[in-house]
Amino acid sequence: MQFAKINGVVLHYAVRGPENAPVLVFSNSLGTDFRIWSGLLERIGAPFRVVLYDKRGHGLSEAPDAPYKMDDHVGDLAGLLDHIGVQSAIICGLSVGGIIAQGLSAARPELVRGLILCDTAHKIGPPEMWNDRIAQARAGGLEALAETILQRWFSNDLRGNRPDELTGWRNMLVRTPLEGYIGTSAAIRDSDMTDAAQAISVPTLCVVGDEDGSTPPELVRTLAGLIPGARCEVIAGAGHLPCIEKPDELAELVSSFFQETALV
């Protein structure tokens, strides 16, 4: 385990792989930590220098008091990459991690040479939805939201036929620091990356599960339509977290994207 104070917040991160290999950075979704990428990493064949991290308020990173701004999350990732010495990377972001990736491309374009945007959008949900979710979390904790969130996260198959896995991922969700979940919810509520998406000039792959209840395929297709030259793919039988449910299919899409764009 590695830790660094970035922008006044201690972040938990890990760096794996050869120093001279292309850098691949992963940014997680709301209510998760970087363990969600384990299955995908086992299946990506090309050698990478992989950077994983828990954003502020998640995993083993510090959880300042809410609310947060998306600029906080973007600045944290930029600061972490500067701390590690990464000068250019492919950024793979899931949900809010995808918003962070879009923000990093706008704020520090020299750091981004390619984007993989999983189950995300230029804008996710109306403010009223996030205000309601924040109020419920304040009143009853993440336990009060867990069942609804899991329905959006996972396909009918996983929820119906893989109960042990479902329990484990539920545990990860409800153990997220409350301030981190609420703070990041406020950051998502207040974010609109439309201009940032339209300005992206690097190779971009957008991916979404066909049973995603948080950022459904039509929303992700809209994001892809904003990004010049972006490719959009739908993974059958996956919800909001295809890196967990369908790592083989996601790994195949990522590998073909790298080959077609000569990013590695």
Side-chain angles (χ1 to χ4, degrees), residues 106 134 138:
I134 289 168
R138 281 284 184 214

Side-chain angles (χ1 to χ4, degrees), residues 14-17 24-26 28 34-53 92 243-244 247-248 250-251 254 258:
V15 182
R16 304 169 183 169
L24 180 57
V25 179
F26 291 91
N28 318 322
F34 68 59
R35 288 174 291 185
I36 64 173
W37 301 107
S38 297
L40 179 63
L41 291 176
E42 292 171 358
R43 292 162 170 83
I44 294 180
F48 290 99
R49 188 181 185 208
V50 171
V51 178
L52 303 158
Y53 79 107
C92 179
C243 53
I244 292 175
D248 289 312
L250 181 56
V254 169
F258 290 155

Side-chain angles (χ1 to χ4, degrees), residues 4-259:
K5 181 167 280 190
I6 308 294
N7 299 326
V9 177
V10 173
L11 298 181
H12 173 226
Y13 71 98
V15 182
R16 304 169 183 169
E19 287 190 8
N20 295 326
V23 180
L24 180 57
V25 179
F26 291 91
S27 187
N28 318 322
S29 55
L30 178 65
T32 69
D33 58 48
F34 68 59
R35 288 174 291 185
I36 64 173
W37 301 107
S38 297
L40 179 63
L41 291 176
E42 292 171 358
R43 292 162 170 83
I44 294 180
F48 290 99
R49 188 181 185 208
V50 171
V51 178
L52 303 158
Y53 79 107
D54 293 333
K55 62 185 167 292
R56 64 170 60 201
H58 289 71
L60 299 184
S61 294
E62 280 191 307
D65 291 342
Y68 308 159
K69 297 179 180 179
M70 197 57 65
D71 285 348
D72 296 327
H73 285 303
V74 172
D76 290 348
L77 178 53
L80 178 62
L81 295 181
D82 289 341
H83 172 77
I84 297 169
V86 173
Q87 297 181 344
S88 179
I90 302 162
I91 312 295
C92 179
L94 173 61
S95 195
V96 65
I99 297 177
I100 294 169
Q102 294 171 67
L104 184 69
S105 180
R108 295 284 302 277
E110 77 280 4
L111 289 175
V112 181
R113 57 189 297 262
L115 289 167
I116 303 166
L117 302 177
C118 298
D119 298 80
T120 189
H122 55 296
K123 184 169 181 58
I124 300 177
E128 297 78 15
M129 180 194 80
W130 291 107
N131 289 337
D132 182 62
R133 189 180 300 189
I134 289 168
Q136 290 183 59
R138 281 284 184 214
L142 293 183
E143 292 279 356
L145 297 172
E147 297 312 313
T148 300
I149 291 172
L150 292 172
Q151 289 177 11
R152 292 192 296 262
W153 273 11
F154 295 119
S155 68
N156 291 330
D157 177 66
L158 188 144
R159 286 186 284 112
N161 299 313
R162 295 155 65 177
D164 295 345
E165 285 185 57
L166 188 65
T167 296
W169 298 119
R170 185 184 190 280
N171 289 341
M172 179 185 62
L173 168 65
V174 300
R175 293 171 186 173
T176 300
L178 185 61
E179 291 298 314
Y181 190 92
I182 289 173
T184 302
S185 293
I188 300 170
R189 177 195 65 197
D190 298 337
S191 295
D192 187 337
M193 291 293 172
T194 302
D195 291 342
Q198 292 173 328
I200 290 171
S201 60
V202 298
T204 301
L205 171 66
C206 296
V207 180
V208 61
D210 68 347
E211 296 185 43
D212 187 336
S214 295
T215 54
E218 58 268 25
L219 182 59
V220 179
R221 289 191 184 100
T222 299
L223 170 64
L226 293 172
I227 301 171
R231 170 183 165 190
C232 187
E233 298 288 348
V234 178
I235 297 179
H240 190 56
L241 307 176
C243 53
I244 292 175
E245 286 200 81
K246 297 289 182 177
D248 289 312
E249 290 82 348
L250 181 56
E252 183 177 349
L253 289 174
V254 169
S255 296
S256 65
F257 170 64
F258 290 155
Q259 292 171 4

